[in-house]
Amino acid sequence: MSGVTRAALWLGLGFLYAPIFVLVAYSFNASNLVTVWGGFSTRWYSALFSDGPLIAAAWVSLQVAVFASLTATLLGTLAALALERHGRFRGRSLFTGLVYGPMVMPEVMIGLSLLLLFIGIGLDRGLVTIVIAHATFCTGFVAVVVAARLRGLDRSLEEAAADLGASPFRVLTTVTLPLLAPAIAAGALLAFTLSLDDLVIASFVSGPGATTLPMRLYSQVRLGVNPEINAASTLLVVLVSLVVLIASWLTARRAA
């Protein structure tokens, strides 16, 4: 790697991550002003855990992320199995487009489309609609991770189990799924992270009593930034970073 390329890389990384480091540092600011350093303090973390609406929004986000990631993991795994283990079938191209389409579509379009769908079928917006929307958005990401693992799987293991008399369902549950476990776990963690961070889609399909943490933080930022928001954002960054590290570890373990 040349010096110019290395410098460009570090400048790009600095541009991306420097604001995050500044946010984390100022979450420990004793001053009431976010732009004036008043000394080290953890007072804003204490204030954060005393903020009822913010804690309620965090609880909603966790519930949505858990249920959405579980749903997306189930659907994404089944979609990957259909695409990688059943060869050519009628409607395969359409099915592939439906699975992977939400990954490349603008989130505004996804949110608006789902909003119109929920209005059309008369489904009240709330926790359930956010879970459905996030599961729809995350399914394609899980399918990509699981399908990649399926392509590298030694099919002779499944064929050997079938030759020994195992039914297709038994082959799936005793051979295929255990081999896919790291990829499924990585896909689930990726879906959890995407759901936890989403703001745009949730803004369209949420309803009364179903305000997620990103929505709450965004509404507070519009009224003015205070160090308590920095503390909440720091905890969110730490949680997402831990999930990403675990997913990366599972992926590396799978590759090894």
Side-chain angles (χ1 to χ4, degrees):
M1 183 182 296
S2 65
V4 175
T5 304
R6 187 179 292 106
L9 174 62
W10 282 109
L11 286 174
L13 292 175
F15 177 79
L16 291 174
Y17 291 103
I20 297 177
F21 292 138
V22 172
L23 180 145
V24 172
Y26 273 89
S27 69
F28 297 99
N29 186 14
S31 172
N32 291 328
L33 302 176
V34 294
T35 57
V36 177
W37 181 257
F40 182 86
S41 175
T42 58
R43 58 177 292 203
W44 299 112
Y45 287 91
S46 300
L48 172 64
F49 289 107
S50 301
D51 190 331
L54 205 60
I55 296 300
W59 176 239
V60 170
S61 286
L62 287 175
Q63 292 182 80
V64 169
V66 168
F67 288 113
S69 61
L70 290 176
T71 305
T73 301
L74 175 62
L75 297 177
T77 301
L78 292 176
L81 287 169
L83 292 172
E84 297 297 328
R85 284 293 183 265
H86 293 282
R88 304 293 301 180
F89 55 87
R90 181 173 298 181
R92 177 188 171 90
S93 298
L94 176 61
F95 180 73
T96 303
L98 292 175
V99 171
Y100 297 135
M103 297 175 60
V104 296
M105 292 174 60
E107 292 187 12
V108 173
M109 184 183 299
I110 298 174
L112 181 58
S113 301
L114 290 170
L115 171 62
L116 296 176
L117 172 65
F118 295 145
I119 293 176
I121 63 177
L123 182 61
D124 293 334
R125 286 174 291 166
L127 194 66
V128 174
T129 56
I130 301 177
V131 170
I132 294 173
H134 283 187
T136 302
F137 171 66
C138 296
T139 295
F141 292 91
V142 177
V144 167
V145 176
V146 177
R149 173 57 175 162
L150 275 170
R151 282 191 290 270
L153 205 63
D154 187 0
R155 296 202 63 174
S156 62
L157 298 174
E158 298 171 309
E159 294 170 355
D163 290 341
L164 292 173
S167 64
F169 179 77
R170 189 170 181 81
V171 172
L172 175 66
T173 55
T174 60
V175 179
T176 307
L177 289 181
L179 292 173
L180 290 178
I184 293 174
L189 292 173
L190 177 60
F192 179 87
T193 302
L194 292 171
S195 175
L196 195 66
D197 278 348
D198 177 70
L199 169 64
V200 177
I201 296 177
S203 299
F204 280 94
V205 299
S206 65
T211 301
T212 63
L213 183 58
M215 293 172 59
R216 181 70 186 181
L217 293 177
Y218 179 69
S219 64
Q220 290 190 204
V221 167
R222 295 177 63 186
L223 301 176
V225 181
N226 61 64
E228 184 180 329
I229 296 178
N230 291 346
S233 301
T234 298
L235 292 178
L236 188 59
V237 167
V238 171
L239 177 60
V240 170
S241 299
L242 287 175
V243 173
V244 170
L245 288 174
I246 294 173
S248 300
W249 176 76
L250 289 173
T251 303
R253 181 183 177 186
R254 177 197 66 193

